[in-house]
Amino acid sequence: MDSFKTIKSKITPLDIINIDTDQIIPKQFLKLVQKTGYGNFLFYDWRFDQKNKLRNDFILNDPKYAERSILLTRENFGCGSSREHAVWALFDYGFRVIIAPSFADIFFNNCFKTGMLPIVLESAEIDYFFSLDSDIYVEVNLMEQTLSTDKKIINFKIDPMKRRMLLEGTDEIDYTLQLEDRITNYEKRYHR
Amino acid sequence: MDYISPSMQRTLFDKIWDEHIVVNGNQIEKDSNGLGQTLIYIDRHLVHEVTSPQAFESLHQRGRKVRRPDSTIATVDHNVPTNDRSLPMVDQTSKIQIETLTRNCREFGITIFDIDSPYQGIVHVIGPELGFTLPGTTIVCGDSHTSTHGAFGAFAFGIGTTEVEHVLATQCLWMSKPKSFLVNIEGTRRNPHAITSKDIILSIIQKIGIDGGTGTVLEYKGKLISELSMEQRMTICNMSIEAGARAGLIAPDETTFEYLRGRKYAPKGEYYEELVESWRNNLKSDPNSVFHKIETLNADQLAPQVSWGTNPSMVSDVTGNVPHPDEFAKGNENERKLAIRALQYMDLQPGTPITDIKIDRVFIGSCTNSRLEDLIEASLVVKGRKVSAQVRAMIVPGSQQVKIQAEKLGLNKIFKEAGFEWRESGCSMCLGMNPDILAPGERCASTSNRNFEGRQGTGGRTHLVSPIMAAAAAIQGHFVDVREWV
Ligand code: SF4
């Protein structure tokens, strides 16, 4: 996994609560056996109509929002199915940071595995970002755990171990394999 | 483990968690401020074809081994066709995924119940059925409905594909500890045939919301829970994820021990009885243990539930009406917008009586409601009746074992004579990755667990109900209050 660098980007606001992973990546795209190439299918049923034509009523189809790496959304983002394909699709499409008042647990965990940074903020701070002019740049600094515009700096918190792994681009499995002795001891002690 | 005070009152979840700590992250992460992750041991791992290929591929590329093939089993369920299995598979990409799993299992020495196995079925149906699911264990699967296995007093939860690889390689996972959430079920059901455990869990989700359980493990308790069969308990734990919970949990009791005794993978003989003794004594929440949240549901007045919207909290009594968005939102503007969107997608008008909603399709199946008892219950209202001419209805047993047992009881005849299709086992129209899907605009009474937009097919409209409610709707062509039938 690549290490997480500081990101400066405009925001794509997606003002809907409870967006589930079936919407983020519909099931017909889960049949691939690799981790890449899902970006084109992101929010497929919202981006395309039943004749596979782009719908002009969905924000991601507005050229103004192309090439932005920060997604701003509402409560309980990523609920439902555990499919990590949802994170792969968002990442492949170009997002690196997702800001929301809350995330579903499995989706939240999955984010870190691909180098995606999910940031939880208070509702008032979320409202602030929704109220911003859509052309304002926001800088995300994971080292400092800050989000800044030219007017305001907002702090966020990430679990220290997850933060370190993201910053270093650590492979979690390699890291755990170094603790092999501890695992073996556990298995002996508990007869697993 | 010196960091646990023995006098502390612990919840059932606390006890299972403590037993599985391999490394306390705070001991190695210097700047953790007590927030660190814990490495916990995973006793059991279930694998299926959709969320595993990338995990195996990565193991393969990096020369990693599967640490405990003996603690892992696999099956094919999400993609498999449910029609005649002697025919060649039409969908080539699904075929590749299925073959990839078989090859991976062979390479890494993992037991697989493949498409021709008499034990093939939905992961969450076969785990318990085989006695692979045991009390007090930790169980994972690359699937959110792994919460089902919590019905046995196991900490069971869904994970993503990278975590699937992590468990295959290390038999462990890094986690921050979820909190405990107590759900008390009080009262008694007036009519246990008509008011099922599906209705109980749907009303709980309506009550606490689809994110009410986020970051927690729901422990279901109460006299009513202890009276439920294992299959009914599984329906409740299965849908814990629809309330956003990490897992669902029910303390094991004599019903649990009896269910598991003698099953294929369950320990046998004296050793089993020793285990039962220790489960009986240890696997329950201490009387004064502290829960982060508590919710109570009274089952006295419970009616059969029908979902009207596009998430599982949008449900109504069958005797009720499709609500107005304001009524649903209770002042929350975001919820109101969501309800408007849901009604539009579902093509429903506020105020429409639920029993006026006409349906085109009926699906009885999925890891929520495809076990033997579900099919027996559904058959109660089907016997001697006919499926409405406007409806296409199908029964998809959760596993080959369920199918075999149901056929022994003659259920296949009852359903077929009424005009239901009797299928082979798999996930089928629960998510429609195989050819079983809704056409755009079709409306379905479904015993599955998700009514999300497009879940059963792009543009398809799903109403979640119990098996007996689905069966009755198939007969009438619209929803009916099944209390009048049984
Ligand atoms: S039956 Fe449905 S919910 Fe259950 S595992 Fe299969 S797809 Fe998932």
Side-chain angles (χ1 to χ4, degrees), chain B residues 77-78 122-124 143 145 238 366-367 427 430-431 449 455:
Chain B
D77 54 3
H78 283 64
I122 306 172
V123 265
H124 312 309
D143 190 283
H145 291 96
N238 171 279
S366 91
C367 58
C427 296
C430 172
L431 93 164
N449 41 56
R455 171 77 177 182

Side-chain angles (χ1 to χ4, degrees), chain B residues 329-382:
Chain B
K330 299 192 182 85
N332 180 326
E333 179 55 20
N334 287 326
E335 293 280 356
R336 198 180 71 91
K337 281 196 288 190
L338 197 71
I340 293 171
R341 190 187 166 96
L343 289 181
Q344 201 172 15
Y345 181 87
M346 294 296 290
D347 191 25
L348 289 172
Q349 294 303 319
T352 308
I354 296 289
T355 47
D356 280 2
I357 300 174
K358 291 198 177 61
I359 52 163
D360 311 298
R361 305 282 298 265
V362 168
F363 171 65
I364 298 182
S366 91
C367 58
T368 310
N369 279 129
S370 65
R371 296 179 180 82
L372 189 61
E373 281 179 39
D374 296 317
L375 305 189
I376 293 174
E377 288 293 312
S379 74
L380 294 179
V381 293
V382 170

